[in-house]
Amino acid sequence: AFRPLVTLFEQAYAGAPLTYEYDPGVCWFLLWLLNFSIAYAVVAQFAPKVKVGMPHPFVLLVIGMPLCGIFYAISKAIGPWNHLGGMNMWNYGASMYIPFFAAGVLGGRNDWLKSVEEMKTWVVWTLRVIVVGFWVVYFLLIAQYTIPIPSVHMDPILGGTLPNPPYAVAMTLAIMQLFHQYFNATPQSQFMRNAGASAYIVYVIQGLALGISGIIFVEILKAAGVPIVFEGTLFFAVGPDGKPTALSNGWIWGGWALVFVLTQLIVWPLGFFARKLPILNKMF
């Protein structure tokens, strides 16, 4: 119910017709995590326990490569069925969410986290370089249309699908190691304990904080004399011809920075205090 309420809040501000429409929003993840957990609980009743150490991180990268084909094939063939059952795109579900959940179960049973914590320095830095390399690929993929960069000609289908599974493997390992090294010290600081405890509710309520930050940005634009019009809940500036047009690059980049910072300043304290409320303190 939370995402539809946030949508109503945004529609009310924009002066759009108020319509309550079902949308799980970011909670799709929690719903499908529950589905996976139920499936695992059933399978665990008869599946044998498999004892296996964590493969080398680079072996996991190689294992992730065949998933590229699954991602690409489903992206090309699935058509209107990509959100069947409330899944947030089955091309991601079949090639990443389900395999990663299975790997998490296997890793949890065999203490793979210890192997992640003890990765050698050269492996850690290689993973970080690989992750940044993927960032460059994704940046160029988008920048060829938005900046644009005339000398860059990348296939949006191949570039936007094939790298995703191995990137997810490298990013997951790199982030887990990064948090172990810099944020999960023993004993953990009070700030990090509070942030960790609030993470789930912050994930759920992020849309509200983002909407509030967006509204603040719109009000700043209006105060600066920028004429704003809404089409649904999307807002545009008004061009010299009186028609809706995009904001200038300066406003777009400034707005992005403002909304990013404001959202963090709103959502984390809000999540921390919200999880102390009755009912929410049992859920989160």
Side-chain angles (χ1 to χ4, degrees):
F2 187 75
R3 179 62 224 178
L5 292 175
V6 172
T7 300
L8 286 171
F9 166 67
E10 294 170 348
Q11 289 171 341
Y13 175 76
L18 300 181
T19 56
Y20 187 92
E21 299 177 358
Y22 170 75
D23 182 351
V26 296
C27 291
W28 75 268
F29 169 76
L30 303 179
L31 296 173
W32 273 94
L33 185 60
L34 177 62
N35 290 341
F36 293 160
S37 299
I38 293 172
Y40 167 66
V42 173
V43 173
Q45 299 305 311
F46 56 84
K49 290 187 176 180
V50 179
K51 290 295 183 181
V52 57
M54 176 180 158
H56 192 281
F58 297 157
V59 173
L60 290 176
L61 280 174
V62 173
I63 294 173
M65 289 180 181
L67 299 176
C68 300
I70 297 174
F71 189 101
Y72 180 76
I74 295 177
S75 299
K76 294 286 286 186
I78 198 167
W81 304 103
N82 210 16
H83 294 272
L84 180 66
M87 171 60 77
N88 187 17
M89 298 188 287
W90 273 104
N91 49 354
Y92 285 88
S95 66
M96 284 188 276
Y97 304 151
I98 294 175
F100 274 54
F101 181 82
V105 170
L106 191 61
R109 286 187 167 193
N110 292 279
D111 199 21
W112 286 10
L113 187 58
K114 190 68 175 176
S115 298
V116 174
E117 294 172 353
E118 296 175 350
M119 286 192 299
K120 295 180 179 179
T121 302
W122 73 270
V123 174
V124 171
W125 278 102
T126 302
L127 287 171
R128 292 173 181 174
V129 170
I130 290 172
V131 169
V132 173
F134 278 116
W135 290 351
V136 173
V137 171
Y138 292 132
F139 171 79
L140 293 176
L141 189 67
I142 297 172
Q144 66 179 334
Y145 301 107
T146 55
I147 293 180
I149 304 177
S151 59
V152 175
H153 303 285
M154 300 177 65
D155 187 309
I157 302 299
L158 292 176
T161 58
L162 291 184
N164 293 343
Y167 166 63
V169 173
M171 180 191 66
T172 300
L173 293 172
I175 287 181
M176 290 173 67
Q177 193 282 331
L178 186 76
F179 270 76
H180 164 70
Q181 183 173 351
Y182 295 106
F183 300 106
N184 293 339
T186 303
Q188 204 173 33
S189 68
Q190 184 68 39
F191 176 82
M192 290 308 302
R193 284 201 299 272
N194 291 338
S198 304
Y200 254 130
I201 194 170
V202 164
Y203 174 79
V204 171
I205 67 173
Q206 60 178 291
L208 176 61
L210 185 61
I212 293 172
S213 300
I215 289 172
I216 292 173
F217 177 51
V218 171
E219 290 301 317
I220 291 173
L221 289 171
K222 290 179 178 179
V226 179
I228 298 295
V229 293
F230 284 90
E231 293 185 2
T233 56
L234 298 177
F235 69 90
F236 299 88
V238 178
D241 57 359
K243 296 181 180 179
T245 187
L247 294 170
S248 67
N249 287 338
W251 276 118
I252 291 174
W253 283 104
W256 173 83
L258 175 71
V259 169
F260 174 79
V261 173
L262 274 180
T263 299
Q264 305 306 315
L265 294 177
I266 293 171
V267 74
W268 287 98
L270 181 62
F272 174 76
F273 289 108
R275 65 185 297 271
K276 296 180 179 295
L277 296 175
I279 300 179
L280 291 181
N281 61 4
K282 303 297 183 183
M283 295 173 61
F284 300 98

